[in-house]
Amino acid sequence: MFAALQKSKQLYLITLDRIGDYMDLLRVEMKIREQQLAIRIAGFTIALLFALLATIFLGLAIIISFWDSDYRALAAWFVVLLYGGIAGAAVAVCMKQFKSPSSLTSTIRGELQRDIDVIKGSI
């Protein structure tokens, strides 16, 4: 019984010692993730702005090309359908990106699993 108490004390000390390391590792991972997210948001914002401008001017160019013809209304409805298709494709891409699991704490999970293996080996 004394040996079990001694082992539990050792496990407690190992766990107490490693908690600070886990917190430091989590802070570093969060900082890295924050920088990556900021760069992605800036890039997507710029791309969205220019894609919006290009799409608007494409629609105007299509309508102006058919302005003096009998197909003016048809060209305008085609532009509306084009904008709807682009919006649908953008939503589909966004939904696909949100379905992928985030591996934010994969390093921490790996460290915890190694520590659990060490604890199991010492018991």
Side-chain angles (χ1 to χ4, degrees):
M1 183 165 162
F2 183 70
L5 287 174
Q6 186 68 20
K7 283 186 179 182
S8 67
K9 182 181 177 185
Q10 289 174 347
L11 293 177
Y12 170 74
L13 291 175
I14 290 171
T15 305
L16 191 61
D17 182 49
R18 294 290 287 174
I19 285 179
D21 295 338
Y22 293 142
M23 294 306 290
D24 291 340
L25 187 57
L26 181 63
R27 273 189 229 110
V28 168
E29 282 194 35
M30 291 300 288
K31 194 63 141 173
I32 291 170
R33 184 59 64 128
E34 179 182 320
Q35 289 173 349
Q36 290 174 346
L37 185 63
I39 291 170
R40 283 182 185 169
I41 288 173
F44 284 138
T45 302
I46 292 168
L48 177 68
L49 175 67
F50 283 100
L52 178 65
L53 289 172
T55 305
I56 289 171
F57 284 115
L58 174 68
L60 287 173
I62 291 171
I63 292 172
I64 289 172
S65 297
F66 289 96
W67 192 258
D68 292 330
S69 71
D70 295 333
Y71 300 107
R72 181 185 334 167
L74 184 63
W77 281 109
F78 173 75
V79 169
V80 169
L81 290 176
L82 176 70
Y83 287 169
I86 291 171
V91 168
V93 168
C94 287
M95 294 306 290
K96 183 185 266 188
Q97 292 297 320
F98 283 118
K99 288 182 182 177
S100 63
S102 175
S103 62
L104 176 63
T105 58
S106 62
T107 307
I108 293 175
R109 271 193 226 126
E111 287 295 320
L112 281 171
Q113 186 61 44
R114 276 189 285 231
D115 287 346
I116 289 171
D117 292 341
V118 167
I119 290 171
K120 285 180 181 178
S122 68
I123 292 180

